[in-house]
Amino acid sequence: MRISSITGSLCVIVVALFTGSLAAPPKPCASKVKEAVAPPRGWIKHGTPAPDHTIVLRIGLPQPDFHILEKHLYEVSDPYHHRYGAHLSKEEVETLVAPHQNSIDAVDEWLASHGIKESELVRSPAKDWVTLKVPVSLAEKMLDTTYQVWEHTNGDHIVRTTSYSLPENLHEHIDVIQPTTMFGQFKGSKSTIVWADENDVSAVQSSEPFVDPVSGVVVDPSCNTTITITCLQQLYNAIGFIPSAPGNSVGITGYLEEFANIQDLQSFYADQRPDALNSSFTFLSVKGGLNSQNLSDAGVEAGLDVQFAFGLSHPIPATFYSTAGRPPFKPDIGTPTDTNEPYTDWLDFILSQEKPPLSISTSYGDDEQTVPKSFALRACAGFAQLGARGVSLMFASGDGGVGDNDPNPATQQCFTNDGRNATRFIPGFPASCPFVTAVGGTTRVPEVAVSRFFSGGGFSDFFARPAYQEQAVSSYLAALPKGTYKGLFNPNGRAFPDVAAQSDRFRIFLSGRPILIGGTSASSPAFAGIVALLNDVRLSKGLPPLGFLNPLIYSKAASGFNDITIGHNSGCGTTGFNATQGWDPVTGLGTPNFGKLKELILPFPG
C-alpha cells in the first residue's frame, strides 16, 4: 500500500493495489482563508467587475532555503568578513530561492484541476513565481472569493477582494497570491515644481564661496538656492574625480508612464555637464513599458532621476527601465491595465538578467500598510537576491515625514488600515525593506533636514530591526525622552532612512524648460550616482563592487558620512523625529563624503 502526497484542489488518498485501482473516490478539500484584510481606509465598493475582466495572478511559492541566501548576503556584504565582496552568481541565487518540487507539483495539480494548462503559465527562472492570466470569474472560483471594483477618494479604481481562500493542503505550498488584498497606491516621491524661468533663484548668489563646516569642503553659495551637478560634487567632496573602470554601470527605474526624454537630458548636459553632451543611456522596456520622446510626454520624475544620476556618474554606462503597469484604472473602458505593484514586474525582469546595473535608484513606493505583509516579504526577498549578486539598491524614503505632512488633520492619512482607524505613523515600502538602502533628504549649506517637505523616516511595522543597525538605532531610541510618541511607531522595527542627500531645488530640464524640483526622489538618484563613483574606485583596483551597502555603511564606512543634526520630519500632526548626532530617522547616518568613503571602502592596508 502507498499513500500519495496530498496535492491539488482535491484531497486524494491513493491506494495502489496490485490492479492499480483507487480504493476510494476523491474527497474534496476544505477551503481555508489564506489572507484577509479589513476594508481599507479611503476605498469604497464601486461595483462588480465584468466576469471576463482579465486578472494577471502572481503565485509565490515558498523559498525554503532563503535563510541560507540571507546568510550569504550578510557575509558577502560585511566588510569585516573574509567573504566580503564574494557575490553569488545568478544561478547560485536561483538555486537558493527555488521551491521544493512537491510545492511545484501541488500548485500545478491545483491549476490543472481548474483547466489551466502548462502552456498558459509563466515561471520565474527559479520557479518560485508562477504568473497566469485568468478571467475574474475563474479567479473567484479558484480563490473562493468575490472581487469588487473599489474606488478611492482620489478617484482611482482597482479590482480587489478583502480575502481569499485556498484548499487547506495548499497553504504550505503557496506564500502569496496577488492581486487580491493589495490596496496600495504606488506613487512617485516628489515635491512641488518651480519653473526656473519664472522664479529663477539660480542667480541669487553671494560674492564669496564658503567652507562647509560639516564636510570641510568649499561650496559655492549659490548651492543654497539651486542644486546642480557641481553643487553635489562640491558638497560631497567629489570634485575632479573621473570614473574610468570597465564593467561599471548605473540604472534608474521608471514607472507610471514616466518617460525619460533624451532632448531634455542633452539640455541638462549643456547646462551642467558639457563633457557629457551627445552621450545618452540604454533604454530597456519591461512588460511593454514605453519611453515616448515627445517633449510634451517628458516625465518630471524620470527626468530628475536620469539627469542627476547619470550626470553625476558620467561616463559610467547608464540604463533606464520603463515598466508598464498603472494599477488604478477606469472600470468602464473594457479590460484595462490592473496589475500588482509594477516593481515586482521589474524585479522579475532584472533578476532574469545576467548583468544588472551595479547601482540602481528607485523613486517610487507605497505606504507599508497598504501592501499585504506576505507580499512585502516576498518583494523584499527579491531585493535581497539582487544584493547577493552585487547590486546596490537605493530607494527614496518618501516625502511625508513620519506618515503624512498634510497640515489639515481632516485629510491626513495617519491612521491604521486594519479597521481600527487608530492614529499611527505610517512607514513607507520598499524603503522599510532591510535589504535596500533608504535615502532621506537634506537642504541648504550647511546641510539640515529638508523643510519644504519632510524626509520620510521611521520604523517598519513588518520588518524587525536588522543586526547591522542595532547599535546605531538603539542609541537613538535610548536618547529619546521616555514615552515619546508611545504607540505611534514600532521601536523594534527596521529603521529608515539609512543615509541622506540633498533633495530640494534641483535644476533640471522638463519639456525643454528649466525647472526646480525636489523630494527624496532627488536624493535617491543623487546618492546612487555617488555609489556608482565608489564602485568605480573598487573596480579600478580589481575589487568587486559594493553590493548591498547597509552592513558597510553602519560599520567601517560610518565615518564617511556628514552627520546632520538640525531639522525634523513633521507629519501626522506632530513634529516627527528630530535629526540629531549619529543616526536618526530623518537623515539616517547623514550625507556622503566621497573623499573619505573612497578610502573606507578599500581593504585595510596589509
Side-chain angles (χ1 to χ4, degrees):
M1 182 185 297
R2 174 177 58 86
I3 299 178
S4 75
S5 60
I6 301 176
T7 58
S9 62
L10 299 176
C11 293
V12 183
I13 299 179
V14 180
V15 181
L17 304 178
F18 290 108
T19 60
S21 62
L22 289 177
K27 295 171 61 179
C29 272
S31 285
K32 180 180 177 182
V33 173
K34 176 67 174 176
E35 191 163 48
V37 299
R41 183 180 176 85
W43 293 94
I44 59 172
K45 292 180 181 178
H46 178 77
T48 302
D52 60 350
H53 172 80
T54 299
I55 291 179
V56 179
L57 286 180
R58 288 173 52 87
I59 304 171
L61 280 63
Q63 301 168 326
D65 291 331
F66 179 78
H67 65 287
I68 301 176
L69 173 73
E70 188 175 13
K71 181 175 182 292
H72 282 292
L73 172 65
Y74 281 120
E75 289 180 354
V76 303
S77 306
D78 179 357
Y80 298 111
H81 198 281
H82 70 275
R83 293 188 60 211
Y84 181 61
H87 302 118
L88 305 185
S89 68
K90 174 177 179 288
E91 293 72 25
E92 288 170 331
V93 167
E94 288 169 359
T95 298
L96 289 172
V97 298
H100 287 157
Q101 187 62 45
N102 62 342
S103 292
I104 297 173
D105 293 341
V107 172
D108 285 357
E109 290 182 29
W110 172 61
L111 294 175
S113 74
H114 287 284
I116 298 169
K117 302 174 183 177
E118 171 66 28
S119 59
E120 299 175 276
L121 307 180
V122 176
R123 302 183 190 273
S124 63
K127 299 185 178 180
D128 56 332
W129 285 101
V130 178
T131 304
L132 61 151
K133 292 182 180 180
V134 295
V136 70
S137 56
L138 179 55
E140 291 179 334
K141 182 179 178 183
M142 294 169 63
L143 304 178
D144 191 17
T145 191
T146 301
Y147 280 85
Q148 301 283 340
V149 177
W150 294 79
E151 181 178 26
H152 194 266
T153 52
N154 67 6
D156 288 345
H157 296 79
I158 57 176
V159 172
R160 295 293 188 268
T161 181
T162 54
S163 70
Y164 68 96
S165 300
L166 292 170
E168 191 167 357
N169 62 287
L170 273 180
H171 280 230
E172 65 178 303
H173 299 299
I174 293 177
D175 278 348
V176 61
I177 299 179
Q178 290 294 345
T180 47
T181 57
M182 183 183 298
F183 287 82
Q185 291 187 285
F186 191 68
K187 54 189 179 295
S189 301
K190 60 178 180 291
S191 70
T192 306
I193 296 172
V194 177
W195 290 99
D197 54 359
E198 296 171 359
N199 183 18
D200 192 356
V201 296
S202 62
V204 181
Q205 301 180 22
S206 60
S207 58
E208 297 293 334
F210 57 88
V211 177
D212 183 344
V214 177
S215 66
V217 299
V218 177
V219 182
D220 191 284
S222 66
C223 300
N224 257 318
T225 53
T226 301
I227 293 297
T228 64
I229 291 293
T230 299
C231 287
L232 294 179
Q233 291 171 330
Q234 291 176 347
L235 276 163
Y236 302 142
N237 200 9
I239 288 288
F241 182 82
I242 301 175
S244 59
N248 204 354
S249 51
V250 61
I252 289 293
T253 63
Y255 301 98
L256 307 182
E257 299 162 17
E258 278 278 336
F259 305 137
N261 187 272
I262 295 173
Q263 184 176 330
D264 278 342
L265 180 66
Q266 296 305 313
S267 297
F268 176 81
Y269 282 162
D271 184 58
Q272 298 186 33
R273 192 78 203 239
D275 60 317
L277 270 171
N278 300 318
S279 68
S280 188
F281 52 82
T282 298
F283 166 66
L284 291 179
S285 170
V286 181
K287 292 283 186 176
L290 304 176
N291 194 36
S292 168
Q293 290 303 298
N294 293 328
L295 270 178
S296 60
D297 293 336
V300 61
E301 185 75 76
L304 169 62
D305 289 349
V306 303
Q307 288 171 34
F308 270 87
F310 301 163
L312 193 57
S313 60
H314 177 77
I316 295 171
T319 302
F320 174 70
Y321 300 89
S322 177
T323 302
R326 178 184 287 268
F329 73 101
K330 295 298 182 184
D332 57 352
I333 57 172
T335 299
T337 298
D338 179 35
T339 66
N340 299 293
E341 304 294 42
Y343 54 70
T344 54
D345 288 332
W346 176 79
L347 262 174
D348 286 347
F349 178 87
I350 201 71
L351 286 170
S352 71
Q353 304 300 297
E354 288 291 340
K355 292 184 177 181
L358 299 179
S359 174
I360 303 176
S361 174
T362 298
S363 295
Y364 302 77
D366 274 328
D367 291 342
E368 187 183 70
Q369 68 172 356
T370 65
V371 180
K373 185 175 181 179
S374 59
F375 186 82
L377 292 173
R378 284 302 299 261
C380 190
F383 300 136
Q385 293 176 53
L386 285 170
R389 290 174 56 183
V391 177
S392 301
L393 293 174
M394 274 58 66
F395 278 84
S397 71
D399 302 330
V402 290
D404 191 334
N405 63 13
D406 187 342
N408 183 356
T411 54
Q412 287 177 359
Q413 300 296 313
C414 296
F415 303 93
T416 59
N417 215 25
D418 55 7
R420 297 183 299 124
N421 286 334
T423 303
R424 183 80 169 176
F425 291 167
I426 306 299
F429 179 82
S432 65
C433 169
F435 304 128
V436 306
T437 300
V439 186
T442 63
T443 189
R444 302 189 65 81
V445 183
E447 291 184 277
V448 298
V450 70
S451 57
R452 192 158 66 92
F453 47 90
F454 295 96
S455 177
F459 300 81
S460 173
D461 288 320
F462 286 173
F463 302 98
R465 183 158 62 246
Y468 61 73
Q469 64 173 190
E470 178 63 36
Q471 182 177 350
V473 176
S474 294
S475 296
Y476 177 84
L477 292 173
L480 274 181
K482 189 174 182 180
T484 301
Y485 302 140
K486 184 177 180 180
L488 295 183
F489 72 97
N490 172 23
N492 300 312
R494 185 280 204 258
F496 70 100
D498 302 295
V499 294
Q502 284 280 322
S503 61
D504 201 9
R505 308 190 78 84
F506 276 51
R507 179 179 168 90
I508 71 166
F509 280 76
L510 177 66
S511 300
R513 296 173 63 186
I515 66 168
L516 302 181
I517 185 69
T520 53
S521 57
S523 54
S524 184
F527 192 86
I530 294 293
V531 172
L533 299 183
L534 291 170
N535 274 331
D536 201 87
V537 172
R538 287 184 58 84
L539 294 170
S540 67
K541 296 183 179 299
L543 298 169
L546 291 168
F548 176 41
L549 296 171
N550 295 5
L552 169 70
I553 63 181
Y554 280 92
S555 60
K556 185 184 177 187
S559 62
F561 291 87
N562 309 314
D563 195 7
I564 310 302
T565 60
I566 299 175
H568 55 87
N569 58 353
S570 293
C572 302
T574 75
T575 56
F577 297 106
N578 289 325
T580 188
Q581 185 174 355
W583 180 90
D584 56 69
V586 188
T587 59
L589 294 167
T591 60
N593 185 322
F594 176 78
K596 291 183 179 179
L597 287 169
K598 70 179 182 179
E599 303 300 328
L600 292 168
I601 62 172
L602 297 178
F604 291 112

